[in-house]
Amino acid sequence: MDNSSIKDNIRKIRKSRKLTQEEMALRLGISLTAYRDFEKGSTSILNGNLHRIASLLDTSAEEIVLGYRPSQIEGANLQEVQEEYSGRIQSLETRICDLEKLTSSLQETIASKNEIISMLKKRLGEDK
């Protein structure tokens, strides 16, 4: 999201609230010129100012940045999402546990074979 979109969103929301630039500047405790620079995009809006402006416009910083109010997931939908991911997480945890057991077993097999190889090498050395 660029500064241009943010300034346009601020202007649009301010006008929908029937506030003037002068009123916004006064409420923010800044000069009218400084406020106009926000809306023109010639001054970057820092995070703290963004939240103050959002508060004065009775909206969220997200709405100013995105240009729309993000919808919230309804309780039932949220529960479905949690259940879906809970099952996936549990499945992945089980798979990880199985893979850890397999890895351990393979490491034991390798160690055992390395011992056998070592013994055979010693035996070959003794037979010479």
Side-chain angles (χ1 to χ4, degrees):
M1 181 67 49
D2 62 14
N3 201 36
S4 174
S5 298
I6 293 172
K7 71 171 181 76
D8 291 341
N9 293 336
I10 290 173
R11 184 181 309 114
K12 181 179 75 174
I13 296 168
R14 175 185 57 79
K15 286 183 177 185
S16 75
R17 304 285 193 272
K18 299 187 182 351
L19 293 169
T20 65
Q21 288 182 335
E22 292 84 5
E23 289 171 313
M24 287 297 294
L26 183 64
R27 291 178 182 188
L28 286 169
I30 60 176
S31 70
L32 176 58
T33 303
Y35 183 79
R36 284 184 177 155
D37 286 344
F38 283 152
E39 282 197 12
K40 281 195 275 181
S42 48
T43 298
S44 234
I45 300 174
L46 301 175
N47 206 19
N49 287 331
L50 180 64
H51 289 286
R52 287 177 58 210
I53 291 169
S55 177
L56 289 173
L57 293 173
D58 193 32
T59 190
S60 67
E62 291 83 7
E63 182 176 0
I64 290 175
V65 172
L66 299 173
Y68 60 90
R69 198 175 286 259
S71 63
Q72 296 179 352
I73 298 176
E74 295 177 15
N77 292 337
L78 179 59
Q79 186 175 357
E80 290 172 12
V81 169
Q82 287 173 333
E83 288 172 3
E84 177 184 345
Y85 284 106
S86 175
R88 287 182 183 182
I89 290 170
Q90 187 175 14
S91 173
L92 289 171
E93 286 173 343
T94 301
R95 180 73 176 136
I96 288 170
C97 185
D98 291 344
L99 290 172
E100 286 173 342
K101 288 177 185 175
L102 178 61
T103 301
S104 178
S105 174
L106 291 172
Q107 287 172 338
E108 289 174 13
T109 301
I110 290 170
S112 174
K113 290 190 179 209
N114 284 340
E115 287 179 32
I116 293 170
I117 291 169
S118 179
M119 289 190 311
L120 289 172
K121 284 182 179 179
K122 283 183 185 177
R123 211 173 216 182
L124 283 173
E126 291 173 4
D127 288 344
K128 289 184 179 181

